[in-house]
Amino acid sequence: MTRTAPGPTLETARLILRPTAMEDFDRWCDFMGDEETARFIGGVQAPSQVWRSMMAMAGAWTLSGVAMFSVIEKSSGQWIGRIGPWQPHGWPGTEVGWSLHRDAAGQGYALEAATAAVDYAFDTLGWSDVIHCIAPDNGPSIKLAERLGSRNRGPGRLPAPFQDALIDLWGQTRDEWRDNRRRLIG
């Protein structure tokens, strides 16, 4: 029996986006144990830290109904990352964030999942604006934000314990997304 946090499931052509499940733990540990992958999302974490992070994501789904989706590759059933709406206490805005396991990079999964997540944020959650907190030297995330149609709004600040992280706030409004979304599918 799969134990999954309560929340919606979204599907794209190649992916399933669903709330955090216990079965995600091993791949999430591998993901957060990779120095390059974890570089822009808080750094490498030991399994005990991953456990707490997973539980926080599941708890956010349970208590607020807003958290990043676990991204599952349909063809393999494998957990490949986390993408979706995120708004922790003190966050600089309503974020749609992303990070994929290294073995899922470069296959268009991030754009596919992020598009579904931004649609969900605007159409279901009713957000009027989305941001993406991106380190200035995180080229792949900047490229994805640009493909989504987001623009760099300038430096931002995260709450503790991430207050020293250098980030730029990328984002767009719901109306901008409607125009950008047509460009993505047209």
Side-chain angles (χ1 to χ4, degrees):
M1 178 177 131
T2 299
R3 290 182 178 252
T4 304
T9 297
L10 310 178
E11 288 196 37
T12 68
R14 301 179 297 159
L15 304 170
I16 297 169
L17 284 71
R18 61 146 171 79
T20 307
M22 288 299 300
E23 67 192 39
D24 302 342
F25 183 67
D26 290 339
R27 283 280 291 174
W28 203 321
C29 284
D30 188 47
F31 163 78
M32 289 306 299
D34 179 66
E35 190 172 324
E36 185 58 30
T37 300
R39 177 176 169 204
F40 298 113
I41 54 174
V44 170
Q45 293 183 354
S48 60
Q49 293 170 294
V50 172
W51 177 263
R52 288 189 293 280
S53 295
M54 261 186 62
M55 294 303 117
M57 201 66 69
W61 274 116
T62 302
L63 296 177
S64 73
V66 176
M68 287 193 192
F69 293 98
S70 281
V71 181
I72 311 301
E73 182 184 50
K74 283 183 179 179
S75 65
S76 67
Q78 186 163 265
W79 185 95
I80 62 168
R82 59 186 192 193
I83 293 178
W86 189 231
Q87 192 180 19
H89 179 75
W91 218 245
T94 48
E95 180 169 24
V96 170
W98 51 75
S99 190
L100 291 180
H101 193 285
R102 184 190 293 252
D103 63 18
Q107 299 177 54
Y109 290 145
L111 179 62
E112 187 174 329
T115 299
V118 173
D119 282 344
Y120 178 78
F122 287 134
D123 298 342
T124 302
L125 298 177
W127 290 0
S128 59
D129 191 73
V130 296
I131 63 165
H132 322 293
C133 301
I134 304 175
D137 59 342
N138 186 344
S141 280
I142 290 169
K143 185 183 255 185
L144 178 56
E146 290 172 338
R147 289 200 60 204
L148 291 168
S150 291
R151 65 187 188 298
N152 188 337
R153 297 175 173 175
R157 187 167 178 92
L158 298 175
F162 307 109
Q163 71 274 9
D164 295 330
L166 296 176
I167 61 155
D168 286 329
L169 296 177
W170 289 73
Q172 59 187 300
T173 66
R174 181 187 299 122
D175 289 339
E176 290 168 333
W177 175 244
R178 287 188 179 127
D179 291 338
N180 291 324
R181 182 70 165 90
R182 280 191 283 277
R183 179 185 46 77
L184 280 171
I185 60 171

